[in-house]
């Protein structure tokens, strides 16, 4: 069982930065991969970034690569998504997801994840 809770969303202006936090609760983080996805109104859920807890391998969507960083904090069992130079197109509900045994080539696949948080709203608007 893996419980996920997102925090850090909000309303920001274009060009601003935001840090989303996913708190992971589970008996062991061994073999866990944590991903961030987002879903805008009327659109399909899409991959943003993912991190393999052991080893730290990361993956990014082209839409956020270069202005986002995913990282982990082993002391607090959290996965953070730092997003810079935010754009109105980044507006969406951001969801944290997790699974065990995700192979590197599947880290961006929505169907690879079987645990999901409730999401946090990010709105980028002037």
């Amino acid at each position: 069982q893996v419980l996920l809770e997102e925090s850090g969303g909000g309303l920001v202006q274009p060009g601003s930065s935001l840090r989303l936090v996913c708190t992971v609760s589970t008996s062991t983080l061994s073999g866990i991969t944590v991903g961030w996805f987002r879903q805008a109104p009327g659109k399909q859920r899409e991959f943003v970034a993912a991190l393999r807890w052991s080893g730290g391998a990361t993956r990014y969507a082209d839409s956020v690569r270069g202005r986002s960083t995913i990282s982990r904090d082993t002391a607090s069992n959290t996965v953070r998504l730092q997003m810079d130079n935010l754009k109105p197109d980044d507006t969406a509900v951001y969801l944290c997801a997790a699974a065990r045994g995700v192979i590197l080539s599947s880290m961006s696949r929505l169907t690879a994840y079987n645990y999901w948080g409730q999401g946090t709203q990010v709105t980028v608007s002037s």
Side-chain angles (χ1 to χ4, degrees):
Q1 180 75 2
V2 181
L3 298 179
L4 306 169
E5 183 174 3
E6 305 93 339
S7 61
L11 171 63
V12 296
Q13 293 188 339
S16 298
S17 298
L18 205 60
R19 187 178 73 175
L20 305 181
V21 178
C22 175
T23 301
V24 184
S25 300
T26 184
S27 58
T28 174
L29 288 161
S30 176
I32 283 276
T33 295
V34 177
W36 282 98
F37 291 79
R38 66 187 182 186
Q39 188 162 19
K43 295 186 178 181
Q44 291 187 334
R45 191 169 296 184
E46 64 175 10
F47 170 73
V48 178
L51 176 144
R52 178 177 280 185
W53 192 271
S54 300
T58 59
R59 293 292 185 271
Y60 294 92
D62 290 342
S63 58
V64 302
R65 185 176 291 112
R67 58 188 185 95
S68 296
T69 304
I70 189 170
S71 61
R72 68 191 188 285
D73 182 345
T74 55
S76 59
N77 282 5
T78 57
V79 174
R80 303 165 182 185
L81 180 66
Q82 175 72 33
M83 302 185 68
D84 302 317
N85 191 22
L86 285 161
K87 306 174 183 179
D89 284 349
D90 293 318
T91 295
V93 174
Y94 283 71
L95 302 106
C96 179
R100 299 187 191 277
V102 179
I103 60 176
L104 289 175
S105 60
S106 294
M107 287 174 68
S108 63
R109 295 179 61 182
L110 185 149
T111 56
Y113 297 86
N114 53 348
Y115 297 101
W116 292 84
Q118 294 298 308
T120 184
Q121 177 70 44
V122 172
T123 302
V124 184
S125 175
S126 56

